[in-house]
Amino acid sequence: MRSNVTVGRFDEACTVTRTSPMDTSDLQCQITLSLSEGQITVQGVFAITGAGPGDITLAITGGTGRYRTAHGFIHAVNTSNTETQLTVHLIRGAGPVVV
C-alpha cells in the first residue's frame, strides 16, 4: 500500500532453520513483491524472539519486467500484530529508487 492504496501483492514462504530453548528461532524467507510492472524477489534470514521479530532487513535478489536488474534491500518493521511496514530500497542502474 502507498497512501492506503494497494500497489501490489506480497507473497512469502519461510522455513524455521534454528530453534533455541531461550524462545528464539531463526527463519529463512523467500519473498516475492508482485507489482504492476514486474516482480521483485527478496531473501534472507532473521531471528524471532518472544517479543517478535523486531526490525528486519533482507536482500533484494532480483526481479522481472521493469525490475529485472533489481538489487538493494527491504526493511520491515512490525507496526502491530497484523501489520508490517515495508520500505523497499531499490537500485536499478542509475541509482536508488524507493518504492
Side-chain angles (χ1 to χ4, degrees), residues 7 34-39 64-68 92:
V7 295
S34 298
L35 306 168
S36 63
E37 296 186 36
Q39 296 179 334
T64 64
R66 179 175 181 213
Y67 310 105
R68 70 185 173 282
R92 295 183 305 124

Side-chain angles (χ1 to χ4, degrees), residues 34-80:
S34 298
L35 306 168
S36 63
E37 296 186 36
Q39 296 179 334
I40 298 170
T41 56
V42 178
Q43 180 175 327
V45 174
F46 60 93
I48 294 181
T49 67
D55 290 357
I56 301 166
T57 301
L58 301 172
I60 293 174
T61 56
T64 64
R66 179 175 181 213
Y67 310 105
R68 70 185 173 282
T69 60
H71 60 283
F73 64 97
I74 65 166
H75 183 77
V77 177
N78 287 336
T79 56
S80 74

Side-chain angles (χ1 to χ4, degrees), residues 5 7 14 16-19 25-26 28 30 32-33 35 37 41 49 60-61 64 66 71 76 81 86 95-98:
V5 175
V7 295
C14 295
V16 176
T17 59
R18 183 185 67 83
T19 59
S25 59
D26 288 344
Q28 167 72 46
Q30 293 78 37
T32 302
L33 304 173
L35 306 168
E37 296 186 36
T41 56
T49 67
I60 293 174
T61 56
T64 64
R66 179 175 181 213
H71 60 283
N81 286 339
L86 292 179
V97 176
V98 176

Side-chain angles (χ1 to χ4, degrees), residues 9-13 30-34:
R9 193 175 85 203
F10 177 94
D11 293 291
E12 172 182 45
Q30 293 78 37
I31 298 165
T32 302
L33 304 173
S34 298

